[in-house]
Amino acid sequence: MSDSIWGYQPTTGHIAGTDLTGYKVEATDGSIGKVDKHSDDVSSAYLVVDTGVWIFGKHVLLPAGTVQRIDQVDQKIYVALTKDQIKDSPEFDKDKHIGDVGYHEQIGEYYEGHRA
């Protein structure tokens, strides 16, 4: 198990370098959207998920440590979070928050509190 919320767990089936853009994202209680952008950066891996109409076009940043499993065949990513946990996460603005250390700390603290 990765100690960092920003790293993929060894059991997820993640293959570094795989383009996850467009993969569907499934919370523990249903679909939440699709991957708009992702990063495999060591100690800062994440998914940016476009929630579409589910929460009115909001984008959310999910640290790689929230991923339970990646299904390469069906192009689905399963995360260990409920829809409400994701919906209640700190607001994400892709133009402001990519590379913002303070924002990453805020997101990390939020999701660490929901980690299984």
Side-chain angles (χ1 to χ4, degrees), residues 1-2 22 25 35-36 38 41 46 49 52 57 74-76 78 88 98 103 111 113:
M1 181 182 246
S2 174
V25 181
V35 177
D36 190 43
H38 69 97
D41 293 347
Y46 60 83
V49 180
D74 289 337
Q75 295 193 339
K76 286 187 178 180
Y78 297 87
D88 295 341
I98 295 291
Y103 178 75
Y111 285 115

Side-chain angles (χ1 to χ4, degrees), residues 3-15:
D3 290 334
S4 171
I5 194 76
W6 298 103
Y8 287 97
Q9 303 299 318
T11 57
T12 63
H14 176 259
I15 301 167

Side-chain angles (χ1 to χ4, degrees), residues 6 44 96-109:
W6 298 103
S44 186
K96 264 192 331 200
H97 293 134
I98 295 291
D100 179 339
V101 174
Y103 178 75
H104 275 238
E105 287 175 5
Q106 180 185 13
I107 287 289
E109 288 172 10

